[in-house]
Amino acid sequence: MKAPVGPQKDGPRINRDIRVNEVQLIDTEGHNRGVTPIAEALQLAEEAGLDLVEIVPTANPPVCKILDFGKFRFLEQKKAAEARKRQKVVEVKEIKLRPGIDDHDYEVKMRAVKRFFEEGDKVKVTLRFRGREMAHQELGYRLLERVRNENVAVAKCEVEPSMEGRQMVMILSPK
């Protein structure tokens, strides 16, 4: 029978949780003290009133640093929150057209498409066919080609025009 494995902590191991004989030690000033026995590293951390934190567990021996773990964890959380804030979620905006769209209506839709690209979003252009319009799919294809050609400077075609039931779909993404 195997011994039950204790609960895994998330984050770096600290102080007595570090289960190796030797560590690569970095002191409070950031100077590399070289390979140090774990007992000596723990004693140095205790004397400084700080924690021994495993920074690079995959190294051989693991790299540990003497620092205030509470402050370290706070700075890591702050860094992660900043990274999340800077992340842009790309949305897919949809523009619906009809084969017999008027020129002015088309221009209004194209202004909206350009605004979506400026915001960094992808655009799904959907061309809906009704009734006998299905017999003239080439009109729809030409309209989607016109949309693609007008936006070639700011966007690239991610999904070529294709039929999905009674509608033709094309996806453009910003360059």
Side-chain angles (χ1 to χ4, degrees):
M1 301 257 326
K2 287 185 179 178
V5 179
Q8 285 287 336
K9 289 184 181 177
D10 55 335
R13 292 186 289 211
I14 58 169
N15 299 329
R16 305 257 179 249
D17 292 340
I18 303 169
R19 300 260 182 240
V20 290
N21 294 330
E22 294 179 328
V23 294
Q24 183 78 25
L25 184 65
I26 299 170
D27 63 14
T28 53
E29 286 85 41
H31 301 294
N32 190 344
R33 299 189 96 181
V35 178
T36 311
I38 188 72
E40 186 181 325
L42 285 167
Q43 185 181 355
L44 286 169
E46 212 169 281
E47 286 171 4
L50 298 170
D51 300 303
L52 183 68
V53 180
E54 192 175 49
I55 303 296
V56 185
T58 56
N60 192 11
V63 179
C64 294
K65 191 172 185 179
I66 298 174
L67 47 81
D68 180 5
F69 183 65
K71 188 175 179 182
F72 172 76
R73 195 170 55 196
F74 172 74
L75 290 173
E76 287 292 311
Q77 286 173 343
K78 202 170 169 183
K79 227 184 284 181
E82 189 68 32
R84 276 194 307 274
K85 199 188 312 179
R86 273 193 241 112
Q87 216 172 28
K88 169 75 172 101
V89 177
V90 177
E91 291 183 43
V92 179
K93 303 288 187 168
E94 186 174 19
I95 293 289
K96 293 184 178 179
L97 303 173
R98 293 283 315 281
I101 190 168
D102 191 54
D103 286 339
H104 181 263
D105 295 335
Y106 177 81
E107 289 165 13
V108 170
K109 300 272 189 184
M110 287 305 103
R111 279 199 298 270
V113 166
K114 285 187 175 38
R115 190 180 72 241
F116 294 150
F117 288 139
E118 287 167 5
E119 293 169 2
D121 297 323
K122 293 182 181 182
V123 176
K124 178 180 181 180
V125 183
T126 304
L127 186 72
R128 165 119 340 124
F129 294 101
R130 293 206 325 229
R132 292 187 182 167
E133 291 172 348
M134 284 294 287
H136 301 287
Q137 293 178 14
E138 73 281 350
L139 293 175
Y141 188 77
R142 273 189 264 154
L143 183 61
L144 290 182
E145 285 296 314
R146 181 178 166 197
V147 171
R148 182 190 354 205
N149 293 336
E150 284 186 19
N151 293 298
V152 76
V154 292
K156 59 182 179 289
C157 188
E158 200 170 276
V159 177
E160 294 293 324
S162 63
M163 285 299 292
E164 293 179 3
R166 294 187 75 70
Q167 56 191 21
M168 195 176 281
V169 176
M170 174 175 71
I171 298 178
L172 301 170
S173 61
K175 280 189 178 174

